[in-house]
């Protein structure tokens, strides 16, 4: 017998192995109180370790929106049954909310789940998938798993998408283009006129995905709402999620809005019963708590302004963020910053050689980060 084991797809060799972190934080702060209420925290004591603040995954620090837990708990009686295969109530609610036909909506297990389906419906081995870099980490991983070829176009000065270079990088092999707007991890946006100009240059048989995971945090008046953009463009697909502004990251539910052929293909490739009834119910209840969602987003964007101004005051050069995180271009010092943060009980997302992405959390978490950022500049100058 050989020692070779089962033959696996060669495409997987280009995908980094995923491993759990070696050490889990022991005292993760679970969630802040709703805005305007004091967080339930015991006064700091020397004998007690400080809570660990997770500012590494762009999660919402606030608890689920009013009505969400009640609705999800009520559904617990039914978990011996499969969920609604078609996500009917959620689809109807989304269609009404965005004034689009139900047939234009495809739900999935988080928008990352829908992203995987987007690759399944467009990309075959040898095809090209185009996106800016650095951008969302799922793009290269899912592209490689599909056996397609990632074509990464470096961000331009100011950490923005270089749409001219992206248009120039389109070939007859290009099948899928991601425009992450706002961009994760830089927080920058593509504005309406430049997006329309770019879309005019993309061949009509290439699908363009507007990944709008952070749209609720955008205040810029020239930001293009993808749902307006897609209406006149059959090759545009909008991707949204309940994980960020709606605070349902743990539920795994996201959706695409696209013209019927694309949406129907996405529904074909969905994992059957992938979106649990808990997730469907929580998403519906969250949509109905729009006002509370807006209030929390306002609290987070206020923190974004406060943290950004404080960092600028400390001497950091940063581009304005339009999302629920800030990006510091710390280059080779990035791991050092992340280590100092970890030492002080803050988890951030570090891309060594490039920069660090720090999610906006509750004010106490942000204050702690600002304290570390200032210390870092004093103790390790050179960024
Ligand atoms: C967080 C994020 C998502 C959302 O992922 P889910 O699978 O819905 O949790 C999608 N796109 C980008 C760019 C993100 O940053």
């Amino acid at each position: 017998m050989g020692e070779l084991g089962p033959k696996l797809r060669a495409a997987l060799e280009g995908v980094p192995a995923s491993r759990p972190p070696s050490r889990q934080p022991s005292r993760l702060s679970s969630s802040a109180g709703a805005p305007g209420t004091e967080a339930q925290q015991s006064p700091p004591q020397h004998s007690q370790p400080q809570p660990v603040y997770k500012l590494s995954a762009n999660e919402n620090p606030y608890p689920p929106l009013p009505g969400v837990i009640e609705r999800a708990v009520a559904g617990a009686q039914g978990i011996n049954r499969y969920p609604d295969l078609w996500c009917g109530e959620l689809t109807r609610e989304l269609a009404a909310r965005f004034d689009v036909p139900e047939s234009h909506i495809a739900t999935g297990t988080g928008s990352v789940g829908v992203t995987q389906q987007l690759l399944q419906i467009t990309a075959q081995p040898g095809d090209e998938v185009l996106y800016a870099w650095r951008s969302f980490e799922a793009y290269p991983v899912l592209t490689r798993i599909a056996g397609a070829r990632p074509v990464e176009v470096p961000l331009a000065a100011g950490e923005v998408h270089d749409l001219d270079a992206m248009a120039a990088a389109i070939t007859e092999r290009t099948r899928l283009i991601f425009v992450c707007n706002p961009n994760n991890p830089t927080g920058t946006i593509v504005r309406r006129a430049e997006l329309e100009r770019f879309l005019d240059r993309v061949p009509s048989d290439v699908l363009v995905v507007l990944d709008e995971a952070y749209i609720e945090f955008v205040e810029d008046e020239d930001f293009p709402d993808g749902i307006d953009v897609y209406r006149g463009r059959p090759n545009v697909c909008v991707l949204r999620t309940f994980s960020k502004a709606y605070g349902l990251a743990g539920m795994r539910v996201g959706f695409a809005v696209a013209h019927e052929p694309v949406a129907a293909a996405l529904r074909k490739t969905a994992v059957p019963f992938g979106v649990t009834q808990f997730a469907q119910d929580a998403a519906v209840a969250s949509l109905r708590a729009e006002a509370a969602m807006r209030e929390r987003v306002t609290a987070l964007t206020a923190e974004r302004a406060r943290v950004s101004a404080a960092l600028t005051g400390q001497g950091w050069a940063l581009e304005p963020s339009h999302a629920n995180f800030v990006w510091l271009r710390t280059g080779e010092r990035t791991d050092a910053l992340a280590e100092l943060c970890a030492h002080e009980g803050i988890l951030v997302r570090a891309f060594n050689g490039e920069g660090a992405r720090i999610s906006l959390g509750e004010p106490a978490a942000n204050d702690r980060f600002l304290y570390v950022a200032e210390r870092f500049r004093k103790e390790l100058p050179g960024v």
Side-chain angles (χ1 to χ4, degrees), residues 132 155-163 179-195 210-225 304 319-325:
L155 294 171
E159 312 278 8
V160 295
H161 275 67
D162 188 343
L163 292 179
V179 177
C180 188
N181 202 22
N183 189 45
N184 175 4
T186 58
T188 49
I189 56 170
V190 169
R191 291 193 169 77
R192 189 175 295 117
E194 51 176 335
L195 179 65
L210 306 177
D211 186 343
E212 299 182 334
Y214 302 98
I215 188 171
E216 294 85 358
F217 299 100
V218 177
E219 290 167 344
D220 190 289
E221 288 187 356
D222 290 326
F223 183 84
D225 183 320
R304 178 174 72 199
E319 298 297 332
S321 168
H322 298 265
N324 65 338
F325 51 83

Side-chain angles (χ1 to χ4, degrees), residues 57-58 108-115 135-139 180-185 211-214 239-244 248-250 252-255 325 357:
N58 298 344
T109 54
S111 57
V112 171
V114 184
T115 303
S135 188
F136 189 35
E137 293 157 272
Y139 304 153
C180 188
N181 202 22
N183 189 45
N184 175 4
D211 186 343
E212 299 182 334
Y214 302 98
L239 208 49
R240 300 270 178 99
T241 179
F242 285 94
S243 296
K244 308 287 160 58
L248 292 182
R252 314 308 306 128
V253 52
F255 62 98
F325 51 83
R357 188 195 69 199

Side-chain angles (χ1 to χ4, degrees), residues 56-347:
S56 54
N58 298 344
E59 294 153 335
N60 197 315
Y62 296 115
L65 290 163
V68 170
I69 293 192
E70 293 80 351
R71 174 102 199 239
V73 167
Q77 289 293 341
I79 58 173
N80 53 314
R81 305 286 177 192
Y82 285 108
D84 175 359
L85 179 62
W86 297 280
C87 296
E89 187 184 14
L90 176 57
T91 300
R92 283 191 295 279
E93 198 90 14
L94 289 168
R97 164 69 48 107
F98 295 113
D99 190 24
V100 301
E102 286 174 37
S103 62
H104 285 203
I105 291 187
T107 51
T109 54
S111 57
V112 171
V114 184
T115 303
Q116 186 168 33
Q117 293 167 250
L118 283 162
L119 281 145
Q120 288 174 332
I121 69 167
T122 56
Q124 310 201 63
D127 287 341
E128 293 174 359
V129 177
L130 180 65
Y131 48 84
W133 199 250
R134 182 169 279 277
S135 188
F136 189 35
E137 293 157 272
Y139 304 153
V141 171
L142 296 175
T143 299
R144 290 199 173 92
I145 290 173
R149 198 165 83 76
V151 177
E152 301 183 339
V153 175
L155 294 171
E159 312 278 8
V160 295
H161 275 67
D162 188 343
L163 292 179
D164 282 334
M166 286 177 70
I170 296 171
T171 73
E172 67 281 357
R173 306 302 310 260
T174 308
R175 296 270 56 88
L176 183 61
I177 301 174
F178 289 105
V179 177
C180 188
N181 202 22
N183 189 45
N184 175 4
T186 58
T188 49
I189 56 170
V190 169
R191 291 193 169 77
R192 189 175 295 117
E194 51 176 335
L195 179 65
E196 297 281 2
R197 215 178 318 124
F198 172 71
L199 294 173
D200 287 342
R201 293 175 68 181
V202 177
S204 60
D205 61 354
V206 175
L207 184 62
V208 181
V209 175
L210 306 177
D211 186 343
E212 299 182 334
Y214 302 98
I215 188 171
E216 294 85 358
F217 299 100
V218 177
E219 290 167 344
D220 190 289
E221 288 187 356
D222 290 326
F223 183 84
D225 183 320
I227 307 247
D228 297 333
V229 176
Y230 107 98
R231 291 184 196 277
R233 296 185 183 267
N235 66 329
V236 169
C237 172
V238 185
L239 208 49
R240 300 270 178 99
T241 179
F242 285 94
S243 296
K244 308 287 160 58
Y246 286 96
L248 292 182
M251 277 293 189
R252 314 308 306 128
V253 52
F255 62 98
V257 180
H259 289 266
E260 179 130 16
V262 171
L266 288 172
R267 288 190 295 269
K268 280 186 193 175
T269 53
V271 172
F273 306 114
V275 183
T276 67
Q277 200 62 49
F278 283 115
Q280 296 181 36
D281 292 347
V284 167
S286 296
L287 283 171
R288 293 179 185 161
E290 173 92 8
M293 182 275 280
R294 292 278 159 214
E295 198 184 318
R296 290 170 191 199
V297 164
T298 302
L300 287 166
T301 54
E303 279 298 281
R304 178 174 72 199
R306 182 179 77 89
V307 168
S308 302
L311 288 169
T312 305
Q314 291 175 10
W316 294 93
L318 70 168
E319 298 297 332
S321 168
H322 298 265
N324 65 338
F325 51 83
V326 293
W327 169 249
L328 295 179
R329 197 157 272 279
T330 36
E332 302 303 328
R333 322 295 299 277
T334 304
D335 276 351
L337 174 64
E339 273 162 35
L340 190 62
C341 286
H343 187 257
E344 294 294 329
I346 301 169
L347 307 179

